[in-house]
Amino acid sequence: MASLLQQELAAVLQRDLPHLFGGGLAPGISMVKVTPDLGQARVYLSLLLGADANDRLEIIRENGKAIRQALAKRIRQTARVVPELIFFHDDSAAYAAHMDQVLGTLDIPPAPKDTPDENEEKPSRPRLFKGE
């Protein structure tokens, strides 16, 4: 059900209700989590960073009823119940970019080479059979 909702919500935001974003790019849906009773669906949106992201999330939340109705039209043959939609901003991409930046600033020395000295004895190979 979560997969179906994710696909159809993406289509609703991009094709059915593009006017909500003033001609801009519709947000991507990164994940949908549905409760076991199918009463609620948590929809995580990939929004552009900055103040614009909060404005877009607020627009989506204000138009949640219209989005749910458009979704119901698309899945009425497949699903008996259309869950209540709760929208969240998914900031995992921003967090990944931040962690990449942090890891890029670390000064990690190269690993030491594991070469045996010439004076050290080489370990003997274990004998597997009597003939060896």
Side-chain angles (χ1 to χ4, degrees):
M1 183 65 166
S3 171
L4 173 70
L5 290 176
Q6 184 173 359
Q7 291 174 356
E8 295 301 329
L9 274 171
V12 164
L13 293 177
Q14 292 174 2
R15 296 184 193 124
D16 298 345
L17 301 173
H19 62 276
L20 294 178
F21 311 106
L25 186 63
I29 298 173
S30 58
M31 180 175 27
V32 175
K33 292 183 179 181
V34 182
T35 58
D37 66 350
L38 303 178
Q40 290 183 341
R42 296 176 136 229
V43 181
Y44 294 88
L45 302 169
S46 298
L47 301 166
L48 299 175
L49 300 176
D52 185 45
N54 293 330
D55 294 340
R56 295 178 81 172
L57 182 60
E58 194 58 38
I59 289 171
I60 290 171
R61 285 180 176 163
E62 288 173 358
N63 292 292
K65 189 174 183 178
I67 294 171
R68 186 175 180 207
Q69 288 173 347
L71 176 66
K73 288 179 184 177
R74 293 183 74 91
I75 66 170
R76 68 177 172 237
Q77 301 296 325
T78 309
R80 194 172 55 117
V81 177
V82 178
E84 175 189 354
L85 303 175
I86 304 169
F87 296 98
F88 296 96
H89 179 210
D90 182 18
D91 58 351
S92 61
Y95 180 73
H98 170 71
M99 290 307 297
D100 190 41
Q101 180 184 9
V102 168
L103 292 174
T105 61
L106 294 177
D107 184 27
I108 302 173
K113 294 182 179 178
D114 290 335
T115 57
D117 291 340
E118 293 176 9
N119 298 335
E120 288 184 27
E121 289 185 30
K122 294 181 181 177
S124 64
R125 185 174 64 116
R127 291 177 34 180
L128 301 176
F129 302 104
K130 286 184 181 181
E132 285 189 311

